[in-house]
Amino acid sequence: MGEKFEQVVTMETVIAADNTGIDYNKLIRQFGCSHLEPSHLERIERLTGKPAHHLLKRGVFFSHRDLDAMLDVYEKGKPFYLYTGRGPSSESMHLGHLIPFIFTKYLQEAFDVPLVIQLTDDEKFFLKKNLECQETHRLAYENMKDIIACGFDPNKTFIFSDMDYIGSCPEFYTNIMKIQKCITFNQVRSTFGFTETDNIGKIAFPAIQAAPSFSNSFPHIFGDKKDIPCFIPCAIDQDPYFRLTRDVAPRIGCPKPSLIFSTFFPALQGAKTKMSASDPTTSIFLSDTPNQIKKKINKYAFSGGRDTVEEHRELGGDIKVDIPYQYLSFFLEDDEKLQQIKEDYSSGKMLSGEIKKELIQVIQPLVAEHQERRKNVTADVIRQFSTPRKLEFGGPKKS
């Protein structure tokens, strides 16, 4: 008997034990975060007056740290802000990159709060041997176009490149220094697995990702207030950064950020790994043509179907490993239609080619509409989002 392979989840590597994907219950125990409960969804709906997003209802966002504390803040009529980010390593984002931004847009609209989005062009320079800093900076602005095309409110959203903002905002760099002083090399080595051969930029970077968690990093938005809490939607592989951030927060006199975590978006070849921006066959990119999307899904999307039509009709498809079904669960908003597809495919009534066709019909218009919105992101629009400025506050009305 072969030795069972253990899953690996680090900031640079995500590998599941098999094609059923990551064992998220195990990951919750390993990281020490908490399950998202039905009561959380009910409370979000009650406080915002909006239905829970389908990514919440379907368990794509499945875990949290201190979500209750953030909802308490909102219920008391006090302000908070959202923070998420993107590490630019390719000219176009892929479908997996859309997930946190789709959900963050929902949160921005439901809670009516400001949002900051960090583009970590510095981190990608430290991590990628083949990328120069001028190139990662350029890619940050290409990715910014995709992010803006998601439909964020320009009056409530500030998007910034680290390479630009660190040099222009002393308060941001001051917080970075304070955080760096609070974290030892032993802490980052045990948290991220750094070795003596890693460059020191990579080792120091966690403090830069932590800094947007504190409101006084954005004096143009919050003035000198450092007590406005932060709520961070992200994939669960980002949790190690924010465990360190939450440890540091009280030491620099700031509230701990709250977080809500998503599962990983699987590669076309199966849920054993997440998508890679460097391998175009694992991903559907937001720049792909309708024909490219169709070919990628038909050729590469891992199927839970059986070896023969007869066997499939008898036994049905396995939705636990079927990538077209999993992608539909992310992007098909119609709950009834998704349930029908699940029943038809699992029973063998729907064949693998047919569920792939359903996915193609969902993804082609989604990407085409995104591309149309991206075309309207001019230099002036980018300037509007990326200029440090006051943002509008909505949020709850005090009774």
Side-chain angles (χ1 to χ4, degrees):
M1 290 178 64
E3 187 179 341
K4 180 172 169 55
F5 180 80
E6 289 293 320
Q7 67 183 24
V8 176
V9 177
T10 70
M11 69 174 191
E12 293 185 66
T13 306
V14 176
I15 305 174
D18 54 47
N19 270 320
T20 59
I22 294 293
D23 181 341
Y24 289 103
N25 288 325
K26 183 176 181 179
L27 205 56
I28 284 175
R29 292 192 299 272
Q30 179 186 337
F31 284 0
C33 42
S34 303
H35 284 280
L36 207 62
E37 304 292 346
S39 58
H40 289 116
L41 275 63
E42 292 163 9
R43 193 176 179 200
I44 288 170
E45 290 186 333
R46 177 173 59 80
L47 290 175
T48 64
K50 309 262 186 186
H53 197 274
H54 73 272
L55 294 174
L56 271 177
K57 292 188 290 183
R58 296 175 190 170
V60 172
F61 281 83
F62 72 103
S63 179
H64 73 98
R65 288 188 185 275
D66 274 354
L67 173 59
D68 299 278
M70 189 57 56
L71 296 178
D72 288 346
V73 165
Y74 186 80
E75 192 161 23
K76 291 172 184 174
K78 295 179 180 178
F80 73 88
Y81 71 101
L82 295 163
Y83 156 41
T84 195
R86 162 84 187 118
S89 59
S90 59
E91 189 139 321
S92 172
M93 287 166 32
H94 59 54
L95 285 183
H97 297 139
L98 270 187
I99 300 303
F101 294 112
I102 288 171
F103 187 64
T104 300
K105 179 176 181 285
Y106 159 79
L107 292 174
Q108 183 182 58
E109 291 173 352
F111 288 98
D112 194 15
V113 288
L115 161 68
V116 297
I117 299 175
Q118 180 184 42
L119 300 174
T120 57
D121 41 9
D122 49 348
E123 179 203 26
K124 291 304 175 184
F125 173 62
F126 300 140
L127 291 180
K128 303 286 185 179
K129 291 181 180 178
N130 60 335
L131 283 179
E132 293 300 321
C133 51
Q134 295 90 343
E135 178 64 1
T136 61
H137 186 252
R138 185 186 73 82
L139 294 176
Y141 279 85
E142 288 301 313
N143 285 189
M144 193 185 297
K145 295 174 187 176
D146 276 326
I147 293 168
I148 292 169
C150 292
F152 292 106
D153 185 340
N155 297 313
K156 295 186 176 73
T157 308
F158 173 51
I159 309 175
F160 63 97
S161 139
D162 279 344
M163 289 171 65
D164 290 336
Y165 192 56
I166 290 172
S168 67
C169 182
E171 292 87 348
F172 187 57
Y173 185 57
T174 298
N175 271 346
I176 291 169
M177 290 192 300
K178 289 178 180 178
I179 297 161
Q180 286 172 335
K181 193 172 181 178
C182 290
I183 300 173
T184 67
F185 174 63
N186 280 342
Q187 283 177 295
V188 291
R189 180 170 56 185
S190 63
T191 301
F192 300 107
F194 292 139
T195 68
E196 292 176 358
T197 60
D198 282 310
N199 65 67
I200 61 173
K202 191 173 169 181
I203 292 163
F205 175 75
I208 300 174
Q209 184 158 323
S213 307
F214 307 124
S215 57
N216 61 342
S217 290
F218 305 100
H220 52 280
I221 304 172
F222 304 109
D224 60 359
K225 292 180 180 177
K226 62 179 184 177
D227 60 347
I228 299 175
C230 175
F231 185 33
I232 305 169
C234 60
I236 189 131
D237 59 340
Q238 299 300 300
D239 181 60
Y241 285 107
F242 297 110
R243 289 204 302 273
L244 278 179
T245 306
R246 285 167 55 83
D247 286 343
V248 167
R251 297 170 63 187
I252 63 171
C254 295
K256 294 182 178 182
S258 299
L259 297 103
I260 187 166
F261 300 115
S262 73
T263 59
F264 300 118
F265 192 80
L268 280 167
Q269 286 82 351
K272 197 168 182 181
T273 62
K274 66 175 183 176
M275 281 185 165
S276 168
S278 57
D279 182 354
T281 69
T282 68
S283 315
I284 294 170
F285 284 84
L286 298 178
S287 56
D288 282 348
T289 65
N291 196 43
Q292 285 174 318
I293 291 168
K294 182 178 180 179
K295 282 185 174 179
K296 284 184 178 183
I297 291 172
N298 283 330
K299 184 174 182 179
Y300 297 113
F302 187 86
S303 174
R306 307 299 173 175
D307 291 338
T308 66
V309 171
E310 292 76 17
E311 189 182 356
H312 186 88
R313 294 291 191 203
E314 180 186 352
L315 300 174
D318 184 356
I319 61 167
K320 290 181 180 177
V321 300
D322 192 84
I323 288 299
Y325 176 77
Q326 291 184 32
Y327 278 25
L328 285 167
S329 71
F330 280 90
F331 292 110
L332 178 58
E333 295 184 23
D334 187 328
D335 291 329
E336 288 184 15
K337 187 170 184 182
L338 184 68
Q339 181 62 29
Q340 190 63 55
I341 290 171
K342 179 181 179 180
E343 291 172 8
D344 289 350
Y345 190 65
S346 298
S347 68
K349 182 180 178 182
M350 176 180 281
L351 298 174
S352 294
E354 292 171 328
I355 195 171
K356 286 184 176 183
K357 185 178 178 182
E358 291 282 354
L359 179 62
I360 290 164
Q361 290 172 348
V362 169
I363 299 301
Q364 281 179 334
L366 182 149
V367 171
E369 289 163 14
H370 181 91
Q371 289 171 358
E372 283 302 308
R373 292 192 301 270
R374 194 184 193 275
K375 287 178 186 175
N376 296 322
V377 180
T378 62
D380 285 341
V381 172
I382 290 172
R383 199 174 301 113
Q384 183 181 14
F385 277 91
S386 62
T387 299
R389 67 205 186 283
K390 285 278 186 189
L391 297 183
E392 288 181 6
F393 282 76
K397 301 294 183 286
K398 291 185 180 179
S399 56

